[in-house]
Amino acid sequence: MNRQIVSVVGGKDAATADTYESINPARTTEVVARVGLADAATFAAACRTAKEAQREWAKVPAPVRGRVIASIGRLVEANAESLARLVTEEIGKPYAEALGEVREIVDTCDFFLGEGRRLYGQTVPSEMPDKNLFTFRNPVGVAAVVTAGNFPVAVPSWYLVPALLCGNAVVWKPAEYAAASAHAMFRLFVAAGLPDGVLNIVFADGAETFRGLELALEEGSVQKVGFTGSSEVGRKVGELTGRHLQSACLELGGKNPMVVMPDAELDLAVEGALFAGFGTAGQRCTSLGTVIVHESVHDEFVERFARAVRESRIGDPRQDVLAGPLLAEKFAERYEEYLTWIQPHHKVVSGNIGKITKENPHGDFDGDQGLYYHPVIVDGVRPTDRLFLEETFGPIVGVTTFRTLDEAIELANLPGYGLSSSIYTTDPKHVFRFREGISAGMVSVNNSTSGAEAHLPFGGNGKSGNGSRQSGMWVLDQFTRWQAMNWDHSGRLQKAQMDVADITPDLEFRLP
Ligand code: UN1
């Protein structure tokens, strides 16, 4: 494979300072792309280019920008299979899921193409006659968007599509291990007719990106940062933007709980836990962290869950499998570290752990020289365990028990994240008590912790984010700023609060 890709700034290939090889995690001898990495100065220059281009882009009427979004959607749809195949090849996501991921871009475009003809402001009554009040949504300017590679195209589209629709320019820094997928999506966006410089793609490592972002913020060429990644880096990005009086839209990790009530349909809960915990090899930020199961159904649930995991298909992501390999080598290394958190008081009920190899197969699958790992269920997890408290990106799920729903809610909130959550129950009272008590931005009832739809608000609280929301109409508040206008046509100076008509009530009045 000799795919070579570099950053594109203002429509031109940008200089590279280093090279990265994006590897197929299902067959680690295959290089998917050689990626030229840029340095901090190039990142900052891209933000300056974007700033220039944004002025003209903002003048394009929103309905016309909406037509560009429509074209992006059609182009992605027409290239869906090629893009999904590339996602599968580059990060090992099972093909059916990769196609779903590409579908999510189209859904996002479908939603926002109409927003081009809405993007409503308001007319508001004034407290004085012959005066009118209005609100307008203005683009923020330049958005720097830094994304992870577990959703290499769908999650970036949640930023890019609304940002562009609202009249902003974008500098996008995708994960280097998903660079080829990102570059392909970038080309589809550009083919829709975006003027040069409105969307720029910069490949760079974390340190250079951070420095570049700092430079750009100092120069005043970035007004919004979108970041999807770990809570640790998110905290640093939040600090940096805060120092420059700019805000970040942070979409961070999760330790997503699933509560199984005694009245739950157990087979449904097992099916949900299997997909939530081990679909995408547990590498969604919405993946299941801990099953909090009522003590009366614990044994039955664990037995069925363990059986489902043992019988699940792990393997070549081009085939019909529950999960493929881990995303890239660094994720495999980190995952092996999480496995060391398993303590003597824990019980691994799913079978083998660690890398899948000839000596350590999963059923008849021997690992095929990829970054494949056994799915692991750890029973007997306690609230003080690292396995309970911290995100473990990868195929590992903890199980613990509870007695009352209040106790379950307390356990579910304890790790301090707040992205997604789920409850399995047949009693509506439990549903609403859980919804009210859970800190998560997303609550599933009788469904997986993962699987957000493209037109509902998505985002987390606590260690999962800073309360910002993506998707649907809610993300518009990230990429626009409200402007209030008042227009006095009375021909005199009417002073607010002072020149206001007063109607005197008889407040002593009482009914007989
Ligand atoms: C992520 O992993 O960053 O809800 C987002 C879901 C997906 C999005 C996951 N639609 O699982």
Side-chain angles (χ1 to χ4, degrees):
M1 165 81 264
N2 55 5
R3 196 184 276 116
Q4 313 265 352
I5 55 176
V6 294
S7 309
V8 184
V9 175
K12 296 191 188 63
D13 287 357
T16 64
D18 209 346
T19 309
Y20 174 90
E21 286 188 340
S22 178
I23 304 289
N24 179 346
R27 284 176 300 282
T28 51
T29 48
E30 281 179 32
V31 176
V32 178
R34 295 206 162 71
V35 189
L37 299 182
D39 60 10
T42 302
F43 186 93
C47 297
R48 283 196 296 277
T49 301
K51 189 178 174 185
E52 280 294 308
Q54 193 266 334
R55 280 194 201 111
E56 292 308 310
W57 181 239
K59 289 182 198 156
V60 174
V64 178
R65 296 197 302 256
R67 295 299 308 150
V68 175
I69 300 302
S71 304
I72 294 172
R74 298 297 76 83
L75 279 159
V76 171
E77 210 162 26
N79 289 275
E81 285 85 6
S82 325
L83 187 57
R85 268 198 305 274
L86 185 54
V87 167
T88 296
E89 184 187 343
E90 194 171 30
I91 59 151
K93 181 171 286 202
Y95 182 66
E97 274 190 57
L99 262 186
E101 157 146 18
V102 172
R103 182 70 230 171
E104 206 164 335
I105 311 171
V106 179
D107 296 344
T108 300
C109 291
D110 283 354
F111 183 87
F112 283 105
L113 72 91
E115 201 52 49
R117 289 188 186 271
R118 259 185 316 266
L119 213 58
Y120 293 144
Q122 293 123 337
T123 58
V124 182
S126 165
E127 59 195 37
M128 282 162 301
D130 298 327
K131 190 179 174 192
N132 287 292
L133 308 181
F134 307 87
T135 65
F136 296 87
R137 280 189 185 276
N138 286 339
V140 293
V142 173
V145 175
V146 179
T147 51
N150 61 335
F151 275 84
V153 290
V155 171
S157 80
W158 295 355
Y159 293 104
L160 268 47
V161 170
L164 296 168
L165 182 275
C166 290
N168 302 286
V170 176
V171 175
W172 176 28
K173 203 297 280 182
E176 57 272 31
Y177 60 89
S181 309
H183 191 259
M185 178 160 111
F186 169 80
R187 291 175 64 198
L188 293 175
F189 272 51
V190 168
L194 287 174
D196 286 348
V198 170
L199 175 63
N200 307 277
I201 189 164
V202 176
F203 302 108
D205 68 21
E208 291 296 320
T209 305
F210 196 82
R211 267 296 300 146
L213 186 57
E214 193 164 23
L215 288 171
L217 284 162
E218 273 161 18
E219 291 171 7
S221 49
V222 165
Q223 285 70 37
K224 185 81 201 177
V225 177
F227 174 78
T228 297
S230 69
S231 304
E232 188 193 342
V233 179
R235 206 169 253 138
K236 290 186 185 140
V237 171
E239 269 171 28
L240 177 66
T241 45
R243 270 207 302 284
H244 291 86
L245 303 182
Q246 297 295 358
S247 61
C249 175
L250 301 175
E251 202 252 275
L252 312 176
K255 188 75 189 176
N256 308 298
M258 176 179 285
V259 170
V260 180
M261 297 299 288
D263 54 45
E265 282 185 36
L266 275 197
D267 282 334
L268 195 64
V270 166
E271 203 185 348
L274 182 71
F275 181 68
F278 303 109
T280 332
Q283 301 170 109
R284 296 189 186 210
C285 55
T286 50
S287 289
L288 172 60
T290 307
V291 182
I292 303 170
V293 57
H294 192 264
E295 56 181 12
S296 66
V297 288
H298 165 269
D299 294 356
E300 187 61 33
F301 174 83
V302 167
E303 197 202 308
R304 293 192 208 179
F305 187 24
R307 193 184 324 130
V309 166
R310 277 195 300 270
E311 288 169 2
S312 66
R313 267 192 85 191
I314 312 290
D316 187 337
R318 292 171 300 187
Q319 292 170 10
D320 179 21
V321 291
L322 173 66
L326 298 196
L327 299 165
E329 187 61 47
K330 71 173 175 182
F331 292 90
E333 280 164 23
R334 226 174 282 162
Y335 177 73
E336 294 206 7
E337 161 86 24
Y338 302 142
L339 291 177
T340 67
W341 297 357
I342 300 173
Q343 300 289 305
H345 67 267
H346 294 143
K347 195 167 160 208
V348 174
V349 293
S350 45
N352 292 359
I353 69 167
K355 194 162 183 183
I356 300 176
T357 58
K358 278 196 178 58
E359 296 72 41
N360 187 20
H362 178 81
D364 54 10
F365 179 60
D366 68 5
D368 206 17
Q369 294 170 329
L371 302 172
Y372 293 96
Y373 281 81
H374 285 279
V376 176
I377 304 173
V378 182
D379 194 14
V381 164
R382 296 177 187 158
T384 46
D385 293 343
R386 281 192 92 171
L387 271 185
F388 181 85
L389 294 168
E390 295 177 41
E391 183 180 35
T392 46
F393 204 73
I396 180 165
V397 170
V399 179
T400 194
T401 55
F402 72 95
R403 289 203 182 95
T404 65
L405 178 55
D406 285 344
E407 195 190 327
I409 293 172
E410 203 172 306
L411 285 168
N413 287 333
L414 196 63
Y417 292 84
L419 187 63
S420 187
S421 62
S422 155
I423 183 166
Y424 276 81
T425 180
T426 45
D427 186 340
K429 281 200 305 295
H430 296 153
V431 171
F432 285 100
R433 266 251 298 290
F434 182 72
R435 183 212 68 72
E436 210 171 69
I438 194 74
S439 65
M442 178 166 147
V443 184
S444 295
V445 183
N446 297 331
N447 192 13
S448 163
T449 51
S450 60
E453 296 186 34
H455 52 293
L456 269 186
F458 184 89
N461 306 316
K463 286 191 262 180
S464 296
N466 57 350
S468 49
R469 294 293 181 265
Q470 298 180 278
S471 292
M473 62 184 191
W474 298 272
V475 76
L476 295 177
D477 286 333
Q478 295 295 323
F479 291 114
T480 57
R481 296 215 171 111
W482 283 111
Q483 182 181 58
M485 183 175 96
N486 72 84
W487 185 349
D488 193 319
H489 52 96
S490 67
R492 58 189 189 280
L493 177 67
Q494 301 192 86
K495 299 194 223 56
Q497 293 92 44
M498 288 173 265
D499 298 335
V500 180
D502 197 18
I503 294 175
T504 318
D506 173 9
L507 291 176
E508 299 307 313
F509 176 79
R510 296 289 180 277
L511 291 172

